[in-house]
Amino acid sequence: MDRDLAAVSLPGRVAGPGEGISPEELALAARNHGMPLEALRYRLTPPGLHYVLVHYDIPAAEAADWRIGVGGLVRTPLRLTLADLRSYPSVTLRVTMECAGNGRARLTPRPVSQPWLVEAVGTAEWTGVPLRTLLREARVESGAVEAVFTGADHGVERGVEQDYRRSLPLGVAVGDDPEVLVAYAMNGGPLPPQHGHPVRLVVPGWYGMAQVKWLCDITLTDTPFTGFQQSVAYRYRQSADEPGEPVTRIAPRALMIPPGFPDFMSRTRVLRPGRTGLEGRAWSGHAPVVRVEVSSDDGRTWHDAALDVPEGGGWAWRHWHTAWTATPGSHVLVTRATDADGRTQPLDQPWNRGGFGNNLVQRIPVVCLPDGT
Amino acid sequence: MDRDLAAVSLPGRVAGPGEGISPEELALAARNHGMPLEALRYRLTPPGLHYVLVHYDIPAAEAADWRIGVGGLVRTPLRLTLADLRSYPSVTLRVTMECAGNGRARLTPRPVSQPWLVEAVGTAEWTGVPLRTLLREARVESGAVEAVFTGADHGVERGVEQDYRRSLPLGVAVGDDPEVLVAYAMNGGPLPPQHGHPVRLVVPGWYGMAQVKWLCDITLTDTPFTGFQQSVAYRYRQSADEPGEPVTRIAPRALMIPPGFPDFMSRTRVLRPGRTGLEGRAWSGHAPVVRVEVSSDDGRTWHDAALDVPEGGGWAWRHWHTAWTATPGSHVLVTRATDADGRTQPLDQPWNRGGFGNNLVQRIPVVCLPDGT
């Protein structure tokens, strides 16, 4: 690698004890953004509030010029315009999407990367063509084992120059549960630039790294893909030198709309004594959420929140609510989701070197003011 | 102040030598977001890419229920629905908006607050009723000296519980240069929640703190407003105990679309040898931008960029372009705007305790790879 490039594209690292957020992490945090937690009030996340993570730059992509190739181990290679895509029967799915690195900046020690706290989530309705429709038309050959998806965003990561590229096992790519979409609309309109304009992949139930944006190529291969984003990044590992396990589906998580009002700088919540509604949403990429618990004493005791009837299909978050009687003093509210597979959120951090799939429970410090203030 | 509240709503402070970004600053950076600099390619910033700064929470505001009061020193108090507002002749203005704290996190020492680098900017077309139309209808009394604007966002800041509130001198409020708008549309659609849905103030040429969102009240007063956001925050000060000067109009700034492609983590730009176009946009809230200079050697030598014909009126950024022949090695690109009043961007930081109005030039480190790589 070029010496100048080596100096600016460093290996992954973990922050030292007490090391504050670095200028590089801040530069990522200023570009990418989470969903302000009060936006949990919206069933569908309004434009600009859905979380965004862009590895490199948002490409300058024009819908009129866009082509999507389907090639490799297929009998009928395709080269599709956006009009071609729109000519197929479409499917609309409501999908809660979350970044695999959500929660990373709360870990000790902290993996140095995009420093998410808990808000890298959002829910949208995505419209597109089922991937299996396109693969059927392209007539996948029998030796194919994976589909590799290439996005148009280009950059360097840990010394490796690359287009953003990820694969799915063939069984997932041609399956219908989840129904994988080649999507061209978000909440009924064209995709915004930062969400993959004009076309992206949507893999319901999987973390964001699978949802390749600015999708320009689909290639069927007879060997598993070993590119950077598959075999170097997005692996659960304890140390840098082990192969690790791939990051795939979203672990369960519940989030609460922080009650009361915030202090500008500390973001601590302030409220007044009395009964106050608590509500939020919960999701899992493995199975439906069947239980949400809430604690108002930092996890010492718990009670069950009421779960509203699921709406929008199996891939969207589920609304929950309960109430709490606030008394003067400091409290810590905690919430925890459990899914139908029995997966639940840990109370202690499940550390891994990339800071992936971390679904440690949300903790909301609250100050309740004295009566009459 | 309540002891628990005092513990979480601290006075303003400046970071110590070498102190990294704190968890509190990160929490603000994860909620609020800048404009990814490649979005300088868009004349009008697409939804979700325009910078956002919310002091407290985004209020749950319904357009159907919204009322805007105009009161205080007026002969005809008004109470307007959104339909009332839409019944007045409307004006649409293209406005480049910038946060007064843009650049704060690059300062040494660093004021601890929302940690912007250089990207807290965006340009939109705002549609609404000129404020002077409403004030004429309300018949402002002769003793009035200021108009005070109240937003619906509520929180605590430095120990002071408040609705977000700012004033304008009467001369600015009833003036037509800039034309102050009570705006209900952004780029032709309803305001998104984070941009003030359903109604906000737009004060072209002024920093963001004047553009009160979720606007619910306008009160004319016979004394200057001394609320928190006017006399405590948003002042140019060297030390905490001086009254300081008010932050008002936007200082000139040019930004460049970072050329080449980025390293994911360091955000350093990488490109290959040869001629490359450089372009960006520049603005000033004082007077039109008349010059943009570019340096490819970290400010030792400069050349003038070409300024495109201004478009979209006097309050929108102006596009500029030039070219550069990249040679292998490390370089630092710099750009600097000058306006018709002779204001220009400093090469050394103009420090103040709040980190306001900082228009230090942008510096873009670039690595040009060797030929043939």
Side-chain angles (χ1 to χ4, degrees):
Chain A
M1 189 175 20
D2 174 62
R3 187 167 45 94
D4 290 319
L5 181 59
V8 301
S9 193
L10 299 168
R13 74 181 185 94
V14 165
E19 181 184 332
I21 301 289
S22 64
E24 290 74 19
E25 290 167 287
L26 178 61
L28 283 169
R31 282 177 58 79
N32 300 308
H33 66 86
M35 183 189 74
L37 293 182
E38 64 270 32
L40 286 164
R41 74 168 75 102
Y42 307 108
R43 202 170 297 169
L44 284 182
T45 312
L49 294 177
H50 193 292
Y51 99 89
V52 174
L53 187 285
V54 175
H55 272 247
Y56 312 122
D57 283 349
I58 299 167
E62 294 294 334
D65 307 332
W66 206 255
R67 298 292 181 278
I68 298 164
V70 183
L73 285 179
V74 297
R75 277 182 228 164
T76 313
L78 308 177
R79 188 169 156 78
L80 304 163
T81 65
L82 209 56
D84 294 334
L85 270 190
R86 288 178 182 279
S87 71
Y88 292 94
S90 72
V91 168
T92 296
L93 294 175
R94 189 179 296 186
V95 177
T96 295
M97 222 178 257
E98 183 176 6
C99 185
N102 200 12
R104 178 185 290 126
R106 299 168 71 207
L107 294 176
T108 306
R110 183 182 77 250
V112 174
S113 184
Q114 166 69 37
W116 294 122
L117 296 164
V118 295
E119 59 289 88
V121 67
T123 295
E125 282 184 346
W126 302 95
T127 301
V129 185
L131 176 61
R132 61 197 171 107
T133 303
L134 299 183
L135 295 183
R136 198 182 310 123
E137 173 134 343
R139 301 165 71 216
V140 176
E141 297 199 48
S142 61
V145 299
E146 286 200 348
V148 180
F149 305 89
T150 302
D153 48 333
H154 185 87
V156 183
E157 199 162 343
R158 316 298 184 202
V160 181
E161 186 176 342
Q162 58 191 288
D163 293 329
Y164 187 85
R165 193 169 280 144
R166 286 273 312 179
S167 74
L168 288 174
L170 190 65
V172 176
V174 301
D176 63 357
D177 185 31
E179 180 82 276
V180 180
L181 296 184
V182 176
Y184 48 75
M186 180 184 189
N187 296 337
L191 303 188
Q194 70 273 30
H195 289 292
H197 185 85
V199 181
R200 74 176 299 170
L201 203 65
V202 173
V203 188
W206 288 51
Y207 281 116
M209 78 280 144
Q211 330 274 342
V212 178
K213 293 188 275 192
W214 312 291
L215 179 66
C216 50
D217 187 78
I218 303 171
T219 296
L220 283 295
T221 62
D222 60 3
T223 52
F225 177 60
T226 58
F228 181 89
Q229 303 295 346
Q230 206 84 21
S231 57
V232 180
Y234 295 113
R235 310 287 293 192
Y236 293 112
R237 291 192 180 94
Q238 292 298 312
S239 66
D241 54 359
E242 57 177 307
E245 291 297 316
V247 176
T248 57
R249 285 175 185 254
I250 299 175
R253 191 192 296 272
L255 289 177
M256 183 188 297
I257 300 179
F261 48 87
D263 175 65
F264 169 72
M265 193 63 229
S266 72
R267 305 316 294 174
T268 302
R269 309 301 300 190
V270 181
L271 43 66
R272 296 204 154 76
R275 199 164 168 81
T276 181
L278 300 177
E279 62 173 316
R281 298 185 192 267
W283 62 94
S284 165
H286 294 277
V289 167
V290 293
R291 186 178 192 190
V292 170
E293 296 159 281
V294 172
S295 168
S296 58
D297 56 9
D298 204 5
R300 281 185 291 279
T301 62
W302 296 86
H303 72 272
D304 279 9
L307 284 170
D308 293 352
V309 175
E311 51 170 5
W315 304 112
W317 53 24
R318 188 169 180 184
H319 187 260
W320 59 264
H321 67 275
T322 185
W324 170 54
T325 301
T327 54
S330 291
H331 307 274
V332 177
L333 304 175
V334 193
T335 177
R336 176 169 62 182
T338 301
D339 70 18
D341 280 358
R343 285 184 172 80
T344 190
Q345 294 184 250
L347 304 180
D348 295 312
Q349 66 169 26
W351 194 89
N352 64 79
R353 195 179 158 82
F356 296 120
N358 185 294
N359 64 337
L360 180 65
V361 291
Q362 177 192 22
R363 292 176 73 253
I364 305 181
V366 168
V367 168
C368 178
L369 298 176
D371 273 310
T373 56
Chain B
M1 188 175 18
D2 174 63
R3 188 168 45 94
D4 290 320
L5 181 59
V8 301
S9 192
L10 300 167
R13 73 179 187 94
V14 166
E19 181 184 333
I21 300 289
S22 65
E24 291 74 21
E25 289 166 287
L26 178 61
L28 282 169
R31 282 177 59 77
N32 300 308
H33 67 87
M35 184 189 75
L37 293 181
E38 63 270 31
L40 286 163
R41 75 168 75 103
Y42 308 108
R43 202 170 297 170
L44 283 183
T45 312
L49 294 177
H50 193 293
Y51 98 90
V52 173
L53 187 284
V54 175
H55 273 248
Y56 312 121
D57 284 348
I58 300 168
E62 294 294 335
D65 306 333
W66 206 254
R67 299 293 182 275
I68 299 163
V70 183
L73 286 179
V74 298
R75 279 182 227 164
T76 313
L78 308 177
R79 188 169 156 79
L80 304 164
T81 64
L82 209 57
D84 294 334
L85 269 190
R86 289 179 182 278
S87 71
Y88 291 94
S90 72
V91 169
T92 296
L93 294 175
R94 190 179 297 185
V95 177
T96 295
M97 223 178 257
E98 183 176 6
C99 185
N102 200 12
R104 179 184 289 125
R106 299 169 69 207
L107 294 177
T108 307
R110 182 182 77 251
V112 174
S113 184
Q114 166 69 37
W116 294 123
L117 296 165
V118 296
E119 59 288 269
V121 67
T123 296
E125 283 185 345
W126 302 95
T127 301
V129 185
L131 175 62
R132 60 197 172 107
T133 302
L134 300 182
L135 295 183
R136 198 182 310 122
E137 173 134 341
R139 301 164 71 216
V140 175
E141 296 200 49
S142 61
V145 299
E146 286 200 348
V148 180
F149 305 90
T150 302
D153 48 333
H154 185 87
V156 183
E157 199 162 343
R158 315 300 184 202
V160 181
E161 186 176 341
Q162 58 191 287
D163 292 330
Y164 188 86
R165 193 170 277 143
R166 285 274 311 179
S167 74
L168 289 174
L170 190 65
V172 176
V174 301
D176 62 358
D177 185 32
E179 181 82 275
V180 180
L181 296 184
V182 176
Y184 48 75
M186 182 183 188
N187 297 337
L191 303 188
Q194 70 274 31
H195 288 292
H197 185 84
V199 180
R200 73 177 299 171
L201 203 66
V202 172
V203 189
W206 287 52
Y207 281 116
M209 77 279 144
Q211 330 275 343
V212 178
K213 292 187 277 194
W214 313 290
L215 179 67
C216 49
D217 187 78
I218 303 170
T219 296
L220 284 294
T221 62
D222 60 2
T223 51
F225 177 60
T226 58
F228 180 89
Q229 303 295 346
Q230 205 84 22
S231 56
V232 180
Y234 295 114
R235 311 286 292 191
Y236 293 112
R237 291 192 181 93
Q238 292 299 310
S239 66
D241 55 359
E242 57 177 305
E245 291 296 317
V247 177
T248 57
R249 285 176 185 253
I250 299 174
R253 190 191 298 271
L255 288 177
M256 182 189 297
I257 299 178
F261 50 86
D263 174 66
F264 170 72
M265 193 63 228
S266 71
R267 305 315 294 173
T268 302
R269 308 302 299 191
V270 181
L271 43 66
R272 295 205 154 74
R275 198 164 168 82
T276 180
L278 300 177
E279 61 173 315
R281 298 186 191 266
W283 63 93
S284 165
H286 293 278
V289 167
V290 293
R291 187 178 193 189
V292 170
E293 296 159 279
V294 172
S295 168
S296 58
D297 55 11
D298 204 4
R300 280 186 291 280
T301 62
W302 296 84
H303 73 271
D304 280 9
L307 284 169
D308 294 352
V309 175
E311 51 171 5
W315 304 113
W317 53 23
R318 189 170 178 182
H319 188 260
W320 60 264
H321 67 275
T322 186
W324 170 54
T325 302
T327 54
S330 291
H331 308 273
V332 177
L333 304 175
V334 194
T335 176
R336 176 169 62 181
T338 302
D339 71 18
D341 280 357
R343 285 182 172 81
T344 190
Q345 293 184 249
L347 304 181
D348 295 311
Q349 67 169 26
W351 193 89
N352 64 81
R353 196 179 157 81
F356 297 120
N358 186 294
N359 64 338
L360 180 66
V361 292
Q362 177 193 22
R363 294 176 73 252
I364 304 181
V366 168
V367 168
C368 178
L369 297 176
D371 273 308
T373 56

